[in-house]
């Protein structure tokens, strides 16, 4: 479609008395300048379009429109392909809510660095490359140099502010971005921040306790899968075994609990340290704070370990598979006790079990009897063999004596 | 940012596609040339050569074994004038007999080529390196040498070298293209070169040949007016303030000639309404005045007699050449800053140094007669095209002299242009290499054009950019057509309604124009009605007698001043059609403001005027299911 020229005029309504004039059918526009009177300057895209119109499309605007549209699509396709080379590694662009933009860079300890960089959908999973890309995106968008020109001075209409530079707070969010980048690109700082990531901390608080689960009759798997997922990111050993499903084998379940009872966590709580008062020269003061921080860290770590331990205990106590496995083991033991045969079939109805028991008993009896008989026979045979041997020995002796004699 | 984000690591290794088209725009003036390329940002930009000069002097000088091109060569005019060649462009393609043998130039003189018949040439003295001595190792007859040292080369010999004008142009163009290649880092595929409107076909042929010898494919030889239009029709130039349909006056103030063109710009489609060219006026005259001024100043300060323009003695000639170089800087300073500009020359004459300064007012006074003659030229041009100065919408200056603010002021008042006429000075785009910088407009236009031609695939279309293609000849409208919304507002009493011009006069055919605007409707009827008229535009001159100031008592006999105030007038001529319909999508304005509670709808009106002069009008309400009305007026 050709360019629409938008005019700022707006016409008043037609007076009600207005009557449409009758147009004389003979009216024509005045004769144009004849061809050759004017000679176009062969410049610019407009000339190219004029040429296309007259040479290719027989002065039909709709045909030209079609051609231009096709051309545009062709170019867009080419352009799109070349655009594909720009891989943002799935960083995307997140909306920034108002409260995020109004963050105070001085309060950087409290800010959510992932949200600031627009990585809240990736969080601890973000790779260093993604962080780099995200930071670049944000910097491009929020650089103070750009802001100064884009914020019109007339936006604020308060009278008393005129003449005051209102752009002073413009780089606040930029500072937040810089801080977030600093934290997330330093592995140590990032580990500390990830340990107390505010979003996950909230989730951690939502973990239900034993009574809640019992009272509300929550589903075991639905409750505990997210809990363990939440904690699994702290593991030094990766990958972390999953909770599994209801039909998981005994080995899997045992492996899972084994892993979680020996959980090796990198979580630490330096982030929550109280700031050492840098201004004071008192060495004692500093040392006191440091000591306190250290003990606080240790306390938090201990609490965290205890909490996790408690969670694993809770899970173990509620795990339907554990109950099942215990039951099976019990049955197996009983069966063993009764039949001495380990590896009895696992699941049978009572009747079957009884039948089987009977059968087993009968079999055992029969076996016993058979064995008894066999033993008796063996005894006899043994005795016979012994007798025979005696006999043979006696005979031999007699022969030897005879020979000696 | 790419809208579709990809999976991590799925992107291919980015292929290095350079978006810079390997083309260059060359503005080839008689005294200065400039080159421009298309940058990554999609803008044409004037680039500097190796010496950091954007304005490259058209000069070639030979000194010993060295050859100087550009501003370095211009320096040679002081000490080595007979071996310096300047002003060669205008001689290109001309026979020796056609070149007037006049002025006592200090630079190399044009002579008849000793061998080629009727060909202009230059004779310069150069040191030719003597041929290397034959190496004796290859010789079959080796004789015992006295030493193992190679035979020294003998001294270079002083020889006369004859260069035709075409060869000089080739050398010069080659150096320009080399600069552009160095900038882009790849070979130049093609170039668009500007030519003055005075160039004959033979001269254009000669330029094309010279360019070919320099190893450049000429994509197009573009008229200077065309090159300027290529810049001024870009979206970056017009911005928001300039209307797409306008009448544009190009003032090309060259050093040796002034050429004026009046262009009709209609949504990028441009043609010349009238043009004039005179070599009687030129920036050289301003230079002469300035040199005379400084020479007089020097004489006064140092008590050393110095007569310049024309200078007679060799000492004076050299002093003039020195001053001519120095005032380039003075002129640039005075264009760029409102304060005074200095001119300093070491050892101007008799070992005396000179430092002088000139302020803007004095400068304007010096230039005043030249400005006045340019203004007279413009007035004559407008009169010949029967266009009132009031109808000129935009003035564009070309050439370094166009940077002088005194010129702009003078022309605007003396020609009688409108108060709100768009000039690069009024828009503030002239300083600091801005958009309206007169020194780079042509080169940028050439580069834009080169990139455009380079992007065209069809051979047929490319051919139409050549010289004198018949596709350039067009029909054009003679009168303005537009829509009239009837109402009884006081301001619209003249035509009885709100007039919105759609197709301006002097628009090339066939044409399609779409305008959109808001229409107010009454809540009850929602009626939209308008008429389509062809109108005659005119200028009404109102003479206002200014009350003479009471302070001028002693000059009672002076007549009271009369000021002319011009108004645009409209006269409805032919009623072409009318549309009366009901709006479907009118919306009541909410909130605050003067329009609250009124009903508005946005409409688009499309006009198509065919090649034969038939008119199709279509009214379309913007939005889904809006009302659509159309009618047709057949051709004569």
């Amino acid at each position: 479609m050709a360019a629409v020229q938008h005019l700022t005029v707006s016409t008043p309504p037609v007076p009600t008395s207005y009557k449409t004039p009758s147009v004389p059918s003979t009216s024509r526009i005045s004769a144009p300048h004849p061809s050759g009177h004017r000679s176009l300057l062969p410049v610019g895209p407009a000339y190219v379009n004029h040429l296309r119109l007259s040479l290719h499309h027989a002065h039909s605007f709709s045909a030209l429109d079609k051609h231009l549209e096709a051309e545009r699509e062709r170019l867009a396709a080419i352009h799109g392909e070349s655009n594909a080379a720009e891989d943002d590694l799935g960083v995307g662009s997140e909306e920034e809510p108002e409260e995020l933009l109004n963050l105070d860079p001085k309060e950087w300890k409290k800010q959510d660095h992932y949200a600031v960089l627009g990585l809240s959908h990736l969080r601890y999973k973000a790779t260093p490359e993604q962080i780099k890309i995200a930071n670049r995106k944000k910097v491009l968008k929020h650089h103070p140099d750009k802001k100064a020109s884009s914020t019109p001075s007339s936006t604020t209409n308060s009278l008393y502010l005129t003449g005051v530079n209102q752009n002073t707070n413009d780089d606040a969010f930029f500072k937040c971005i810089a801080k977030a980048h600093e934290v997330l690109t330093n592995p140590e700082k990032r580990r500390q921040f990830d340990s107390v990531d505010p979003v996950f901390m909230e989730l951690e608080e939502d973990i239900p306790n034993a009574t809640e689960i019992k009272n509300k009759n929550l589903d075991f798997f639905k409750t505990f899968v997210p809990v363990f997922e939440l904690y699994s990111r702290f593991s030094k050993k990766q990958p972390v075994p999953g909770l599994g499903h209801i039909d998981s084998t005994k080995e899997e379940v045992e492996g899972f609990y084994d892993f979680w009872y020996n959980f090796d966590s990198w979580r630490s709580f330096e982030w929550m340290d109280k700031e050492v008062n840098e201004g004071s020269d008192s060495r004692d003061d500093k040392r006191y704070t440091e000591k306190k921080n250290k003990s606080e860290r240790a306390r938090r770590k201990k609490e965290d370990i205890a909490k996790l331990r408690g969670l694993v205990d809770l899970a173990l106590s509620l795990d339907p598979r554990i109950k099942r496995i215990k039951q099976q083991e019990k049955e197996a033991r009983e069966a063993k006790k009764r039949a001495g045969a380990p590896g009895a079939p696992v699941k049978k109805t009572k009747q079957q079990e009884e039948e089987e028991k009977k059968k087993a008993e009968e079999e055992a009896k029969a076996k016993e009897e058979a064995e008894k008989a066999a033993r008796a026979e063996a005894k006899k045979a043994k005795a016979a063999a012994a007798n025979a041997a005696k006999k043979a020995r006696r005979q031999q002796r007699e022969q030897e004596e005879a020979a000696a004699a | 940012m790419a809208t579709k984000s990809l999976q991590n690591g799925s992107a291919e290794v980015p292929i290095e596609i350079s978006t810079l088209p390997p083309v260059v725009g060359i503005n080839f003036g008689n005294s200065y040339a400039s080159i421009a390329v298309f940058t990554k940002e999609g803008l044409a930009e004037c680039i500097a050569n190796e010496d950091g000069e954007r304005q490259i002097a058209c000069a070639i000088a030979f000194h010993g074994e060295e050859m100087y091109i550009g501003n370095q060569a211009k320096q040679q005019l002081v000490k080595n004038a007979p071996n310096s060649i300047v002003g060669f462009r205008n001689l290109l393609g001309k026979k020796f007999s056609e070149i007037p043998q006049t002025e006592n130039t200090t630079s190399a003189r044009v002579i008849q080529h000793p061998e080629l018949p009727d060909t202009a040439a230059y004779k310069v003295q150069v040191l030719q390196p003597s041929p290397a001595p034959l190496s004796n190792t290859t010789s079959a007859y080796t004789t015992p040498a006295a030493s193992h040292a190679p035979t020294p080369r003998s001294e270079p010999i002083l020889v006369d070298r004859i260069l035709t004008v075409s060869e000089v142009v080739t050398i010069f163009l080659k150096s320009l293209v080399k600069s552009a290649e160095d900038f882009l880092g790849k070979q130049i595929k093609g170039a668009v070169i500007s030519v003055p409107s005075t160039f004959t076909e033979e001269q254009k042929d000669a330029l094309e040949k010279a360019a070919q010898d320099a190893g450049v494919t000429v994509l197009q030889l573009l008229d200077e007016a065309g090159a300027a239009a290529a810049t001024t029709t870009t979206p970056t130039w017009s911005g928001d303030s300039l209307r797409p349909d306008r009448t544009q006056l190009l003032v090309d103030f060259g050093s040796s000639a002034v050429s004026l063109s009046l262009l009709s710009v209609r949504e990028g489609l441009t043609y010349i309404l009238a043009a004039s060219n005179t070599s009687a006026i030129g920036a050289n005259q301003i230079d002469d005045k300035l040199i005379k001024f400084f020479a007089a100043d020097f004489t006064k300060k140092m008590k050393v007699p110095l007569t310049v323009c024309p200078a007679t003695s060799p000492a004076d000639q050299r002093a003039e050449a020195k001053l001519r170089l120095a005032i380039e800087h003075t002129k640039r300073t005075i264009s760029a800053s409102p304060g005074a500009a200095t001119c300093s020359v070491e050892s101007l004459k008799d070992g005396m140094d000179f430092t002088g300064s000139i302020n803007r007012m004095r400068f304007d006074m010096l230039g005043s007669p030249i400005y006045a003659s340019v203004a007279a030229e413009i007035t004559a041009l407008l009169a010949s095209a029967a266009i009132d100065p009031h109808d000129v919408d935009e003035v564009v200056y070309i050439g370094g002299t166009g940077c002088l603010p005194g010129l702009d002021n003078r022309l605007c008042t003396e020609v009688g242009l409108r108060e709100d006429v768009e000039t690069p000075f009024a828009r503030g785009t002239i300083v600091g290499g801005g958009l309206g910088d007169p020194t780079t407009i042509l080169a940028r236009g050439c580069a834009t054009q080169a990139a455009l031609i380079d992007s065209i695939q069809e051979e047929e279309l490319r051919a139409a950019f050549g010289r004198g293609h018949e596709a350039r000849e067009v029909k054009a409208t003679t009168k303005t057509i537009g829509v009239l919304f009837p109402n009884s507002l006081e301001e619209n009493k003249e035509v009885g309604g709100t007039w919105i011009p759609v197709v301006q006069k002097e628009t090339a055919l066939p044409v399609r124009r779409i305008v959109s605007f808001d229409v107010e409707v009454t809540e009850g009827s929602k009626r939209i009605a308008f008429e389509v008229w062809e109108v005659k535009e005119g200028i009404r001159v109102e003479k206002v007698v200014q009350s003479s100031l009471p302070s001028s008592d002693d000059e009672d006999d002076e007549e009271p001043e009369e000021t002319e105030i011009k108004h645009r007038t409209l006269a409805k001529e032919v009623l072409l059609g009318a549309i009366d319909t009901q709006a479907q999508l009118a919306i009541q304005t909410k909130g605050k403001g003067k329009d609250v509670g009124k009903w508005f709808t946005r409409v688009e009106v499309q006009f198509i005027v065919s090649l034969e002069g038939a008119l199709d009008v279509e009214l379309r309400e913007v939005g889904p299911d809006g009302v659509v009305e159309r009618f047709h007026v057949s051709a004569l």
Side-chain angles (χ1 to χ4, degrees), chain A residues 102-272:
Chain A
N102 292 334
L103 279 175
D104 186 356
K106 283 176 194 150
E107 302 275 300
W108 62 272
K109 272 240 163 178
K110 286 176 193 160
Q111 79 184 23
D112 180 353
H113 297 300
Y114 288 113
V116 168
L117 286 192
L119 288 168
S120 47
H121 61 296
L122 290 165
R123 307 216 79 93
Y124 66 96
K125 287 175 192 145
T127 62
E129 285 79 37
Q130 284 171 329
I131 290 169
K132 201 170 153 190
I133 289 167
N135 178 58
R136 203 169 291 159
K137 278 185 182 184
K138 289 286 164 185
V139 165
L140 278 176
K141 196 170 164 195
H142 294 284
H143 198 277
D145 287 1
K146 267 190 183 167
K147 291 241 153 156
S149 56
S150 64
T151 25
S153 54
S154 57
T155 44
T156 43
N157 41 15
S158 50
L159 282 169
Y160 59 92
L161 270 177
T162 46
V164 179
N165 183 12
Q166 290 149 17
N167 288 340
T168 45
N169 201 33
D170 255 3
D171 60 343
F173 190 62
F174 181 72
K175 281 181 185 160
C176 291
I177 293 168
K179 198 72 205 177
H181 181 244
E182 186 198 320
V183 168
L184 296 185
T185 46
N186 183 334
E188 180 60 26
K189 282 187 183 165
R190 189 175 174 199
R191 187 180 63 76
Q192 292 176 5
F193 175 70
D194 278 346
S195 298
V196 293
D197 192 320
V199 173
F200 294 122
M201 292 294 268
E202 262 174 45
L203 289 176
E204 271 174 46
E205 271 163 29
D206 293 341
I207 293 174
N209 54 21
T211 47
E212 261 179 74
I213 294 171
K214 267 172 200 159
N215 293 345
K216 288 181 189 164
N217 203 9
L218 295 168
D219 179 63
F220 173 78
F221 289 100
K222 274 186 192 157
T223 320
F224 280 98
V225 164
V227 171
F228 284 107
E229 258 175 23
L230 204 54
Y231 269 92
S232 63
R233 68 198 159 98
F234 296 124
S235 174
K236 279 183 190 166
K237 265 188 248 162
Q238 294 285 358
V240 176
L243 185 58
H245 47 91
I246 189 82
D247 293 329
S248 295
T249 60
K250 187 184 161 195
E251 282 76 33
E252 280 168 4
V253 176
E254 275 174 355
F256 174 78
Y257 284 105
D258 192 40
F259 179 87
W260 282 100
Y261 275 118
N262 297 315
F263 190 71
D264 193 3
S265 162
W266 49 257
R267 195 175 194 187
S268 66
F269 294 89
E270 283 96 340
W271 200 260
M272 288 173 155

Side-chain angles (χ1 to χ4, degrees), chain B residues 234-250:
Chain B
T234 52
T236 42
W237 176 279
S238 44
D240 304 325
S241 58
L242 278 177
R243 289 186 294 131
D245 295 338
R246 57 188 189 265
T247 307
Q248 192 178 55
L249 176 69
L250 295 180

Side-chain angles (χ1 to χ4, degrees), chain A residues 1-7 9-16 18-24 27-48 50-53 55-56 59 61-62 65 67 74 80 82-92 127 130 137 140, chain B residues 1 5-11 220 222 226 244 267-271 273 449 452 458 460-461 464-465 471-479 485-487 489 498 500 506 509-512 514-520 522 527 529 531 534 574-578 580 602 606 609 611 613 633-636:
Chain A
M1 203 56 200
V4 177
Q5 193 187 343
H6 184 69
L7 307 172
V9 294
S10 86
T11 60
V14 184
T16 42
Y18 172 74
K19 294 239 172 18
T20 317
S22 63
V23 181
S27 62
R28 303 278 180 267
I29 68 169
S30 6
H33 289 301
S35 180
H37 182 68
R38 301 295 186 202
S39 171
L40 285 176
L41 290 172
V43 291
Y47 179 66
V48 180
H50 178 81
L51 286 178
R52 289 221 165 93
L53 194 63
L55 297 179
H56 291 171
H59 304 293
F61 279 101
S62 51
D65 278 347
H67 171 81
R74 192 178 65 82
S82 66
N83 246 10
E86 263 179 49
D87 185 3
D88 71 343
L89 304 173
V91 171
T127 62
Q130 284 171 329
K137 278 185 182 184
L140 278 176
Chain B
M1 278 302 135
S5 52
L6 298 168
Q7 204 61 44
N8 278 359
S10 67
Q220 188 182 15
L222 195 55
E267 279 195 359
L269 219 50
T270 311
Y271 58 74
L273 292 168
Q449 184 72 1
L452 177 78
E458 298 99 322
E460 193 184 355
L461 294 188
F465 281 91
R472 293 176 52 187
E473 309 297 330
V474 285
K475 291 183 175 183
T477 56
T478 47
K479 278 173 186 159
F485 282 82
N487 54 52
L489 292 183
T498 307
I500 298 168
E506 299 292 356
L509 293 178
V511 63
R512 171 176 57 181
I514 305 169
V515 291
S516 81
F517 45 88
D518 293 326
V519 175
E520 192 186 338
T522 51
R527 182 180 177 202
E531 299 159 14
E534 186 175 81
V574 185
L575 177 63
L576 295 165
D580 194 342
R602 175 159 292 185
Q606 175 182 277
V609 185
L611 202 60
V633 180
S634 51
L636 279 172

